[in-house]
Amino acid sequence: MADRRQVLRIGALAAGAPAVLGATGAPAEAAPHRPGRPPSLVIGHRGASGYRPEHTLASYELAARMGADYIEPDLVATKDHVLVARHEPEIGGTTDVASRPEFASRRRTVILDGVSVTGWFTHDFTLAELKTLRATERIPRVRQHNTLYNGLFEVPTFEEVLQLRERLSRELDREIGVYPETKHPTYFRGLGLELETPLVRALRRHHLDRHDAKAFVQSFEAHNLESLHDDYKLRAPLVFLTSATGGPFGDPKSYAEYLTPAGLRQLARYADGIGPDKNQIIPRRADDTLGTPTALVRDAHAAGLKVMPYTFRAENQFLPADYRIGTDPAAYGRAIDEQVTFLRTGIDGLFTDQADIGVLARQLAFVPA
Ligand code: G3P
Ligand code: CA
């Protein structure tokens, strides 16, 4: 069996994050091969959002330098129809807009996918106006260290993310993948700011509209993916995101229905994979400890779909109870071990806020026994 300490030492040097090493101490278990299967992908969720304010070029760059295979921009539109990287159209939670008196009058309430949301919205700002704002940490009480970077970074355009990807791919001598998500596509279409056209144009401009491109386009709305495939003729691989409850906005079909064996086979006509909530792969028990894997990985693979769940985060408050260390919700728990457990269910990749931990977990999960 490979020496876990050796694997960790190498991984930590690559990641430059020695603090991770002190956060886990579980004994190594058997480490099976994945014969005939490519390595699981490490997807830098919102970049390296565990270490930098999310969806900034600094966050994406750090994720790539930590070894992420893909960087993940969530995409929304500005008033002048430019795609920018934000998790949602409301920007009060991730920028300094609330402290900018010149934009105070832009605060308003909208109905977003049936929910009333109050704040400032990308679609009320031109790109030039948005560029005067600076990113801030979304969860400062959990990631106080990230507040160090508040005020330093712009909101990037999708074009800037794609250019960064190309520059880093050259510098690191490996192709960094990009995993864009259309956020609330029905909502933006209703505003006359549909996401599909600028997305497809950008991917084509950067030679990523190929089935073998190092790119995945993801959405929580299946009809959005179906339209990208059938109407926009997008050939980049598509991934359908699912939640443990509910269904896509405006869609009578629930996520659970999409994930039945028959539903997965239908999905495979236009999609290449699914991105489930990780609890749909291994649900938690009533006491919040990790339970037993579902059949979802097997069923999705039987339909020819990859499985790349979200979101793996190192802090105790996001971990199953049996993977926490101590009682501080912001302290790191046994995140590497959680990810190893999930990787051994056969998943094809995972979204993580701490790309360095994803890389280490993959090393531990699949080194030769
Ligand atoms: O796209 C995978 C994951 O990011 C989905 O959740 O809400 O973080 O975009 P969210
Ligand atoms: Ca996302």
Side-chain angles (χ1 to χ4, degrees):
M1 184 185 301
D3 185 325
R4 178 184 172 99
R5 286 167 300 177
Q6 178 73 358
V7 173
L8 286 173
R9 190 179 66 78
I10 295 166
L13 287 172
V20 168
L21 295 176
T24 182
E29 300 168 9
H33 283 292
R34 282 164 52 102
R37 296 180 61 83
S40 298
L41 301 175
V42 175
I43 305 149
H45 185 246
R46 312 182 196 177
S49 53
Y51 306 117
R52 295 291 184 275
E54 67 183 44
H55 291 312
T56 59
L57 293 182
S59 182
Y60 300 129
E61 177 163 352
L62 183 58
R65 292 191 185 284
M66 285 181 157
D69 301 295
Y70 286 73
I71 52 177
E72 192 236 2
D74 293 326
L75 298 178
V76 294
T78 64
K79 186 178 182 178
D80 44 352
H81 210 173
V82 179
L83 294 184
V84 294
R86 290 288 94 189
H87 180 259
E88 58 272 307
E90 203 287 311
I91 49 175
T94 60
T95 74
D96 60 2
V97 68
S99 68
R100 306 289 289 271
E102 68 272 35
F103 296 127
S105 64
R106 305 276 176 100
R107 188 170 188 271
R108 68 179 177 118
T109 299
V110 305
I111 304 300
L112 175 54
D113 293 358
V115 177
S116 178
V117 181
T118 298
W120 292 262
F121 298 88
T122 56
H123 48 76
D124 290 334
F125 290 75
T126 64
L127 178 63
E129 289 172 331
L130 207 62
K131 280 292 188 182
T132 69
L133 304 178
R134 291 295 177 268
T136 57
E137 172 54 38
R138 176 190 293 276
I139 45 174
R141 276 181 289 192
V142 181
R143 293 175 175 165
Q144 193 274 335
H145 52 282
N146 281 3
T147 64
L148 175 67
Y149 308 103
N150 283 355
L152 292 183
F153 308 126
E154 295 179 2
V155 173
T157 63
F158 185 40
E159 175 63 28
E160 288 170 333
V161 177
L162 293 172
Q163 289 177 11
L164 173 74
R165 165 193 175 274
E166 289 170 356
R167 176 172 71 74
L168 288 172
S169 296
R170 286 193 297 273
E171 182 191 326
L172 300 175
D173 200 24
R174 65 184 176 89
E175 186 176 9
I176 307 299
V178 65
Y179 210 127
E181 179 184 348
T182 53
K183 280 293 185 192
H184 308 287
T186 299
Y187 174 76
F188 275 103
R189 179 170 290 276
L191 297 173
L193 297 170
E194 49 97 18
L195 305 176
E196 293 86 349
T197 297
L199 170 73
V200 170
R201 280 192 186 140
L203 293 173
R204 289 191 176 140
R205 197 162 55 242
H206 288 268
H207 313 290
L208 289 167
D209 186 16
R210 313 183 321 267
H211 201 251
D212 63 348
K214 196 151 183 185
F216 289 100
V217 173
Q218 44 169 347
S219 179
F220 278 104
E221 294 185 17
H223 292 319
N224 179 236
L225 297 177
E226 195 170 17
S227 176
L228 283 166
H229 182 274
D230 293 350
D231 304 327
Y232 291 84
K233 310 296 181 194
L234 183 67
R235 289 299 168 256
L238 304 176
V239 171
F240 180 44
L241 299 168
T242 64
S243 297
T245 59
F249 177 71
D251 188 335
K253 205 163 154 181
S254 69
Y255 289 120
E257 290 173 278
Y258 275 104
L259 297 182
T260 63
L264 291 164
R265 283 193 296 275
Q266 289 169 16
L267 197 60
R269 184 185 70 76
Y270 53 88
D272 300 85
I274 57 170
D277 180 324
K278 64 181 182 179
N279 294 317
Q280 296 176 285
I281 304 291
I282 310 181
R284 298 195 191 180
R285 300 187 184 97
D287 63 359
D288 218 20
T289 59
L290 208 53
T292 306
T294 66
L296 183 55
V297 174
R298 185 197 64 204
D299 292 347
H301 284 169
L305 295 166
K306 295 183 191 303
V307 183
M308 293 173 273
Y310 65 91
T311 298
F312 291 85
R313 298 177 162 121
E315 294 90 350
N316 275 331
Q317 72 177 80
F318 302 115
L319 291 167
D322 43 342
Y323 287 77
R324 296 175 197 149
I325 298 175
T327 55
D328 178 355
Y332 278 15
R334 293 171 46 225
I336 297 175
D337 298 306
E338 184 209 23
Q339 293 182 28
V340 166
T341 300
F342 274 82
L343 286 163
R344 289 180 179 164
T345 66
I347 58 174
D348 302 281
L350 53 78
F351 289 84
T352 177
D353 288 3
Q354 289 93 1
D356 53 345
I357 292 179
V359 171
L360 287 168
R362 179 174 59 188
Q363 288 175 303
L364 285 166
F366 300 121
V367 291

